[in-house]
Amino acid sequence: MLYFVKTPWWLKKLYPSCVWDIPVKEKVLYLTFDDGPHPVVTPFVLDQLKQYNAKGTFFCIGKNVAAHPEIYRRVLDEGHRTGNHTNNHLNGWKVTDEQYLQNILTAGKYIDSNLFRPPYGRITRFQVKLLTGIRNSPMNNNFSIIMWDVLSADFDVALTGDACSLNVIKQAQPGSIIVFHDSEKAFPRLKEALPKTLQYFSEQGYRFEAIGL
């Protein structure tokens, strides 16, 4: 499994209109959670965030929101942001542009947000242009495409939860957008990595904010 824990500069240059990190002058981090809502994992995440008065951004799959609307509502009620993560976790490299756009529009029926994150981070530059309004598309509003600066890699079953937390602790810096997953697959590692990450950076004087673009 090939992935970058720290997104390299050259990859950010390939997709300059996407958001990889957020310039800040204070100790602020942006925790993001992909693939929910999940009936067990998302409430766990919300409980952990509440302990540290932390806000996050949840990139939700439309069909999961349709299945668990009460959990999605709790995310919003507790002051977090949500974003569109397609309706069925589509890989933008493996479907047509029309299929991709339609799937995002379907998810948009459940997720009212101008934030979008491509599953697997896989999106073509033409799809970026369609979503950000550079080219005509059926979108009602232009999306901010949110990528990331640091991967916890909690999806990697070969890692321990401690290793995932160290990925973040070693690589994150002020303004970093950090990826976790509120999914069943990631939960064995997330349940250890997220509390350690929250505790470490809180003790270092950081605060956690939702993405406000």
Side-chain angles (χ1 to χ4, degrees):
M1 185 184 298
L2 177 65
Y3 55 85
F4 298 105
V5 169
K6 180 75 170 179
T7 304
W9 65 268
W10 54 264
L11 185 54
K12 296 179 181 181
K13 293 289 187 183
L14 284 176
Y15 292 88
S17 60
C18 296
V19 179
W20 297 90
D21 47 47
I22 297 174
V24 294
K25 295 181 180 179
E26 300 176 41
K27 287 185 170 183
V28 179
L29 294 173
Y30 298 90
L31 298 179
T32 65
F33 302 89
D34 289 5
D35 299 351
H38 183 279
V40 174
V41 186
T42 307
F44 169 84
V45 170
L46 292 171
D47 290 344
Q48 293 297 314
L49 295 177
K50 187 180 293 185
Q51 288 186 36
Y52 291 90
N53 195 29
K55 301 303 179 189
T57 306
F58 291 75
F59 288 93
C60 299
I61 296 173
K63 68 180 180 67
N64 290 346
V65 176
H68 306 290
E70 73 291 347
I71 300 174
Y72 182 77
R73 173 48 52 188
R74 182 184 164 190
V75 171
L76 293 173
D77 287 347
E78 295 188 5
H80 307 287
R81 285 289 304 276
T82 59
N84 190 317
H85 200 45
T86 76
N87 200 57
N88 302 94
H89 207 263
L90 288 194
N91 182 334
W93 294 358
K94 294 185 177 182
V95 295
T96 67
D97 297 333
E98 185 178 355
Q99 287 174 313
Y100 199 57
L101 285 173
Q102 189 56 52
N103 200 266
I104 295 164
L105 283 170
T106 299
K109 296 175 183 177
Y110 308 104
I111 304 160
D112 183 15
S113 176
N114 69 319
L115 304 181
F116 175 74
R117 172 172 285 162
Y120 314 103
R122 292 181 177 172
I123 187 170
T124 68
R125 283 192 273 188
F126 183 73
Q127 289 164 352
V128 169
K129 290 178 180 179
L130 288 175
L131 290 174
T132 55
I134 296 174
R135 290 182 179 268
N136 292 330
S137 79
M139 297 296 173
N140 291 325
N141 58 340
N142 298 336
F143 280 94
S144 293
I145 299 178
I146 310 299
M147 302 298 261
W148 58 82
D149 183 45
V150 178
L151 275 179
S152 67
D154 55 358
F155 55 83
D156 188 343
V157 297
L159 297 183
T160 63
D162 189 55
C164 294
S165 64
L166 286 175
N167 281 340
V168 180
I169 288 168
K170 289 180 178 180
Q171 300 295 343
Q173 56 193 27
S176 286
I177 298 173
I178 299 161
V179 180
F180 287 99
H181 293 78
D182 52 335
S183 67
E184 192 166 334
K185 178 183 178 183
F187 193 40
R189 289 156 297 282
L190 173 76
K191 65 184 179 182
E192 181 180 358
L194 180 59
K196 287 184 175 181
T197 299
L198 287 164
Q199 180 179 352
Y200 175 82
F201 284 106
S202 293
E203 289 174 349
Q204 301 301 312
Y206 280 80
R207 67 178 189 272
F208 305 93
E209 295 186 357
I211 293 172
L213 301 176

